[in-house]
Amino acid sequence: MVRVVLVTVAMVCAAVTQVSAGQMEDVVYLENGGIVRGTILEQIPDKSLKIKRGDGKEFKYRMRDIVRITREPVLGSRTFIQKKNPMVALGLSFPIVGSGQFYNGEYTKGVVQMGAAIVGLGLVLSAGGDNVDSPEGNLDADKDDWRSIPGYVLFVGGAIWSLIDAPMSANRINRQNRLASHGHLIELDGDRATAGIDPVTSYKRLGTLFTLRF
């Protein structure tokens, strides 16, 4: 009986060791801060590297764009977390303040932004209503105009915060979840290339920058 137990324990330990040894993956750290996890398919010294991600997509990078390559334990389900789309996060924030943050899973931030916009809009509308019904004339109307200023600040501030933060947070979440991301506002992944679109601003003009990575 003791021998059977010892053999069983030895078999279980061997199986656990074998499984643990297989739960490793290649991790590529990029110059731009991106991290790609998967299996390296091809590596040409001083030229390029091709890696296959857990979802089956393949990416090819120049060696000069790579900081380091390591072998690390698989992160379990985090490897298959759905990539956030910065453009979707931005688009959702336009009609409803804070909805881009809900899409990103940042519910507390979304509630704060939406609450600020609602409170601000309420202050503006209440001040405007008092102006119409005020029997005291222009004096009270001027007071109500001053009261509406915090309302405008809360509403516009919450909306701008939501619009700027939503796409930036989407890219940050992708990097934290070890999903390949070059940090573009709009990023379209293909089998052989990645297209990115970013706004370019200066004191003279506003434009867009198109980037194509092979």
Side-chain angles (χ1 to χ4, degrees):
M1 183 67 180
V2 175
R3 184 176 179 181
V4 174
V5 173
L6 292 176
V7 171
T8 303
V9 171
M11 292 177 63
V12 171
C13 291
V16 171
T17 301
Q18 186 175 5
V19 171
S20 298
Q23 292 182 340
M24 299 291 288
E25 62 184 351
D26 298 312
V27 183
V28 178
Y29 291 84
L30 303 175
E31 189 77 34
N32 62 8
I35 302 174
V36 188
R37 308 180 72 95
T39 303
I40 294 177
L41 302 177
E42 177 185 81
Q43 184 174 353
I44 303 176
D46 300 326
K47 288 188 177 181
S48 64
L49 177 143
K50 182 185 292 185
I51 184 171
K52 184 177 182 180
R53 209 168 60 186
D55 57 4
K57 289 186 177 181
E58 296 181 6
F59 298 90
K60 190 173 183 179
Y61 300 97
R62 295 174 298 183
M63 293 302 295
R64 65 183 183 183
D65 295 330
I66 298 175
V67 177
R68 70 180 187 275
I69 304 169
T70 63
R71 290 277 295 174
E72 300 178 9
V74 176
L75 294 180
S77 60
R78 289 189 64 191
T79 307
F80 304 98
I81 292 176
Q82 184 178 5
K83 185 176 180 178
K84 300 298 182 182
N85 189 320
M87 190 57 182
V88 172
L90 177 65
L92 289 173
S93 296
F94 267 111
I96 304 176
V97 177
S99 57
Q101 281 65 34
F102 288 119
Y103 165 76
N104 289 334
E106 298 181 319
Y107 303 107
T108 301
K109 189 187 296 183
V111 169
V112 171
Q113 293 171 349
M114 184 178 293
I118 292 174
V119 171
L121 184 61
L123 288 174
V124 172
L125 294 178
S126 64
D130 289 345
N131 287 345
V132 173
D133 300 330
S134 175
E136 302 297 332
N138 293 331
L139 183 60
D140 283 348
D142 290 340
K143 291 180 180 179
D144 289 334
D145 287 340
W146 279 104
R147 192 181 68 182
S148 68
I149 292 178
Y152 284 113
V153 172
L154 284 173
F155 180 78
V156 176
I160 293 177
W161 179 19
S162 178
L163 289 171
I164 294 176
D165 174 77
M168 294 178 62
S169 293
N171 280 318
R172 175 179 52 77
I173 291 170
N174 289 336
R175 289 193 296 270
Q176 289 177 346
N177 290 329
R178 309 303 197 265
L179 299 177
S181 174
H182 297 289
H184 300 294
L185 179 61
I186 307 172
E187 191 166 290
L188 304 174
D189 289 331
D191 293 335
R192 299 184 178 180
T194 299
I197 302 176
D198 300 282
V200 178
T201 59
S202 66
Y203 67 95
K204 288 185 177 180
R205 61 179 180 176
L206 174 66
T208 55
L209 175 64
F210 179 79
T211 306
L212 186 61
R213 294 176 180 270
F214 294 95

